[in-house]
Amino acid sequence: MTVNPVSTNSSASLISPEIGKSAIDSAHPTLKLGILASGSGSNFEVIAEAIQKGQLNAEIPVLIYNNPEAKAAARAEKYGIPAILLNHRDCKSREELDTKIVKTFQEYDVEWVVMAGWMRIVTKVLLDAFPDKVINIHPSLLPSFPGIRAVEQALAAKVKITGCTVHIAHLEVDSGPILMQAAVPVLPDDTAETLHARIQVQEHKIMLGAIALIAESH
Ligand code: GAR
């Protein structure tokens, strides 16, 4: 399948609230999303909420988290979504963790994988099992500021505009075809926390927009 990349700007109208409705009305089969989350899970929750409201033609058969403290697990419970802990500390290698992830997703018939704040580097094991069907969200306008602490990197570089990106994940960290981006201005008094909070508002919009695109061409 082909997903047409779209760029957006946060100052423009980003994502129509209607974007998912056409998917629901269409003959496309429901998209089965496996979610990977390491932290708060706010991106995961906007997907779960949109599905619950009938705005996205998708379902989430399972969420995998790697950090026992991840708040994403409690959010999953709220939506009746099974949350499975695969702790990377119990694995000898990245490949071993990814092998467990693939097995779990296959058991739940997952079709596309969403890294929604997944703070582990993924390997060929995962990417080969779901070729060009793993998406990632990153808090910068890639290819600027890949890797960890992207928001701090943007502040240190003194850029005036940063943002967020949803892309198809390839092997190199934070690389692969871009599906959607949103720009966020850096304000003079911004700290990493204030800037990240505004980036996350945009992340939630492009995450839903990108998944709607995938669901429509599924
Ligand atoms: C998001 O800001 C996402 O862009 C970032 O982690 C946060 C997770 O938030 N991901 C990365 O930095 C991956 N390189 P959430 O848990 O509230 O969705």
Side-chain angles (χ1 to χ4, degrees):
M1 62 145 285
T2 308
V3 178
N4 291 323
V6 176
S7 286
T8 79
N9 186 301
S10 60
S11 61
S13 165
L14 252 173
I15 310 294
S16 157
E18 299 297 311
I19 193 161
K21 299 233 173 90
S22 59
I24 303 267
D25 295 341
S26 76
H28 294 294
T30 302
L31 179 67
K32 289 189 182 153
L33 301 171
I35 309 283
L36 294 171
S38 299
S40 140
S42 72
N43 278 285
F44 156 62
E45 183 157 4
V46 292
I47 305 166
E49 192 183 8
I51 292 171
Q52 192 182 63
K53 288 180 174 165
Q55 293 169 348
L56 263 186
N57 186 22
E59 60 183 276
I60 302 173
V62 66
L63 165 109
I64 291 174
Y65 62 110
N66 66 307
N67 166 12
E69 310 298 318
K71 295 200 177 82
R75 296 195 201 242
E77 202 179 333
K78 232 166 76 178
Y79 291 88
I81 294 168
I84 295 180
L85 172 63
L86 296 178
N87 193 331
H88 61 280
R89 294 175 192 89
D90 298 335
C91 299
K92 291 190 184 65
S93 64
R94 296 189 193 282
E95 285 76 10
E96 186 182 332
L97 174 64
D98 282 0
T99 301
K100 290 181 182 176
I101 291 170
V102 168
K103 188 165 172 285
T104 304
F105 279 161
Q106 286 172 343
E107 280 166 8
Y108 282 87
D109 287 331
V110 160
E111 295 165 306
W112 277 73
V113 175
V114 181
M115 297 200 280
W118 183 245
M119 304 311 279
R120 306 298 304 164
I121 294 174
V122 295
T123 69
K124 270 173 73 63
V125 173
L126 177 68
L127 299 180
D128 287 355
F130 296 95
D132 280 332
K133 290 187 172 179
V134 178
I135 66 169
N136 181 43
I137 187 151
H138 185 74
S140 76
L141 290 174
L142 291 172
S144 293
F145 313 128
I148 57 166
R149 304 180 76 79
V151 179
E152 288 85 348
Q153 289 185 57
L155 285 174
K158 301 194 188 308
V159 293
K160 301 293 182 200
I161 294 175
T162 184
C164 46
T165 303
V166 176
H167 66 99
I168 293 183
H170 283 181
L171 201 52
E172 193 183 328
V173 172
D174 298 323
S175 77
I178 290 169
L179 295 177
M180 277 201 182
Q181 293 186 305
V184 176
V186 180
L187 303 180
D189 294 338
D190 260 335
T191 62
E193 289 70 32
T194 59
L195 180 55
H196 197 185
R198 289 202 316 288
I199 290 172
Q200 284 219 302
V201 172
Q202 300 306 322
E203 283 189 351
H204 298 163
K205 295 177 185 176
I206 64 169
M207 177 62 100
L208 288 186
I211 292 173
L213 277 179
I214 293 166
E216 282 167 14
S217 37
H218 171 61

